[in-house]
Amino acid sequence: MQFDTKVGTDIDEAAFWLKKGEVVGIPTETVYGLAANGLHADAVAKIYDIKNRPSFNPLILHVANENALQDLVVNNKIAQVFMHAFMPGPLTLVLPRKAIVPDITTAGLDTVGVRIPNHELTQSLLQKLDFPLAAPSANPSGYVSPTKAEHVAENLSGKIPYVLDGGACIVGLESTIIGFENGQPVCYRHGGLAIEVLEKLIDQQIPLRIQADVLHSPGQMKSHYATNTPLFIIENEEDIKQWKGKHIGCIVYDQFMSEIPHENQMLLSPDSDLHTAAKNLFQAMREMDARGFEMILAQKVQNTGIGYAINDRLQRAQHHLKNV
Ligand code: TXA
Ligand code: MG
């Protein structure tokens, strides 16, 4: 179906389309989501179609509060501790699903990811609905996730009726995903909530089970979160020298590189704060991608706190994963 995509702040209009089984862009504190009624198989199918998402990649269900969450999943003790401490917030918990959750939402898995987004507009929207919202990030599969309503409109114009505009996302990277093996927590994805913070709360280590990128066809590994311009990770000034003579755009942490003209660089965080860097990363990748550089070089950050998630996204965006 073709739509004349509107961008606005009208919760009633967003609710109207969602109740009709259509797909709407919604703001969260992490990234914008592409939302539909998560209990309605036909509505969920539209998300996969619009995003061009492989059908075996499951979706996260978004609800307003813990009560709504209990209807969808079977809880455990540690999950409960995390829920009380960090929801609403940039955390997704993967738990055994209840029968009400349709197969298409979980891609057939017997678990489902659930999350309570910490965003005023989307909270109000969820309170007007009597169903959870299934929502992946609102980018076409493989491209950089959106952190502003205009990013969603740019990428999906004509495909959805409405984008609820909640401003720039405060966190800027997707939620941290925690699942459970034999009742013990494991981390499926680094994200907006630092893993150390979760570990400290329960006083135990959380092993990593980071998911690889999706294999699309034999011999071809498609990157996630990738710019169209080839992107490479650098650590320091020295690493730039191998690309001398190329037209380079550079995404740096808190200091310009002396080898590259300043106007071709973007500082993620002049104040040397990893949270600011996370908030600005996807916007910077999109802006650099639009400027016609031969390549984008992106500087790795410290592996600490939300820095793990920043480096994870850079690695997934890195060019060598494409067309191997
Ligand atoms: O911050 C976020 O989590 C954003 C906002 C919109 O809430 N959503 C998001 O969704 O990042 P998406 O679909 O782009 O990423 C969800 C990830 C996928 O890698 C998916 O494979 C994984 O979560 N996932 C979902 N359900 C799962 C499950 N039952 N078991 C394991 N992984 C799951
Ligand atoms: Mg995504």
Side-chain angles (χ1 to χ4, degrees):
M1 187 127 86
Q2 270 294 115
F3 293 99
D4 182 11
T5 307
K6 277 213 288 184
V7 178
T9 56
D10 187 348
I11 299 167
D12 290 320
E13 178 151 13
F16 165 82
W17 289 111
L18 290 164
K19 286 177 189 167
K20 273 180 60 144
E22 297 298 343
V23 177
V24 166
I26 59 162
T28 82
E29 79 278 35
T30 58
V31 299
Y32 273 73
L34 191 61
N37 181 346
L39 303 184
H40 193 294
D42 293 344
V44 174
K46 291 180 190 171
I47 297 179
Y48 283 93
D49 187 41
I50 291 167
K51 245 187 98 89
N52 197 15
R53 183 181 179 100
S55 60
F56 50 80
N57 196 359
L59 304 178
I60 297 171
L61 288 177
H62 298 66
V63 292
N65 52 46
E66 264 189 61
N67 271 347
L69 208 147
Q70 306 299 349
D71 296 341
L72 305 172
V73 290
V74 181
N75 219 333
N76 69 49
K77 270 206 183 117
I78 295 177
Q80 195 108 37
V81 170
F82 287 157
M83 252 173 230
H84 288 324
F86 301 117
M87 288 190 176
L91 173 68
T92 294
L93 294 174
V94 173
L95 291 164
R97 65 162 154 159
K98 291 191 172 160
I100 189 175
V101 179
D103 278 347
I104 186 169
T105 299
T106 71
L109 296 177
D110 52 14
T111 55
V112 66
V114 286
R115 157 164 147 68
I116 304 177
N118 188 13
H119 192 289
E120 219 181 304
L121 265 190
T122 293
Q123 272 287 332
S124 312
L125 172 64
L126 285 165
Q127 274 154 24
K128 283 183 180 277
L129 304 172
D130 61 0
F131 49 81
L133 290 176
S137 51
N139 49 298
S141 200
Y143 195 62
V144 182
S145 298
T147 52
K148 291 182 177 168
E150 46 282 24
H151 297 164
V152 182
E154 269 161 34
N155 290 155
L156 302 176
S157 187
K159 296 188 172 175
I160 55 176
Y162 200 68
V163 183
L164 188 61
D165 186 352
C169 300
I170 298 287
V171 175
L173 295 178
E174 294 84 348
S175 60
T176 300
I177 304 182
I178 300 292
F180 295 87
E181 285 177 1
N182 305 316
Q184 295 305 306
V186 293
C187 176
Y188 292 141
R189 178 174 76 185
H190 285 299
L193 182 62
I195 196 80
E196 297 100 308
V197 176
L198 291 161
E199 289 179 332
K200 197 157 170 226
L201 183 71
I202 53 168
D203 196 23
Q204 74 182 66
Q205 281 219 320
I206 301 178
L208 301 180
R209 300 279 186 278
I210 306 296
Q211 293 165 336
D213 280 340
V214 175
L215 198 60
H216 279 267
S217 60
Q220 197 197 30
M221 192 78 98
K222 177 88 170 70
S223 313
H224 252 131
Y225 309 103
T227 46
N228 295 318
T229 314
L231 180 148
F232 298 92
I233 298 175
I234 53 166
E235 299 215 10
N236 51 44
E237 196 92 31
E238 208 38 44
D239 293 343
I240 298 179
K241 294 196 171 130
Q242 57 184 305
W243 288 294
K244 225 180 163 72
K246 298 261 187 207
H247 185 43
I248 293 172
C250 210
I251 299 173
V252 291
Y253 178 46
D254 59 354
Q255 258 184 326
F256 287 118
M257 300 278 172
S258 60
E259 297 274 325
I260 310 238
H262 286 193
E263 66 271 21
N264 293 348
Q265 299 188 58
M266 282 184 79
L267 278 183
L268 288 183
S269 176
D271 57 351
S272 308
D273 180 337
L274 286 172
H275 288 97
T276 313
K279 180 173 189 285
N280 293 330
L281 177 67
F282 287 153
Q283 168 73 29
M285 284 167 67
R286 281 172 179 263
E287 271 186 48
M288 285 307 207
D289 204 17
R291 286 183 52 186
F293 292 112
E294 265 177 275
M295 55 169 51
I296 299 168
L297 300 181
Q299 188 180 23
K300 203 176 156 181
V301 300
Q302 277 168 282
N303 258 331
T304 174
I306 201 169
Y308 283 108
I310 296 175
N311 289 333
D312 169 89
R313 302 307 185 268
L314 291 179
Q315 259 147 32
R316 288 172 196 253
Q318 188 158 233
H319 186 63
H320 71 258
L321 288 175
K322 277 185 172 175
N323 305 320
V324 289

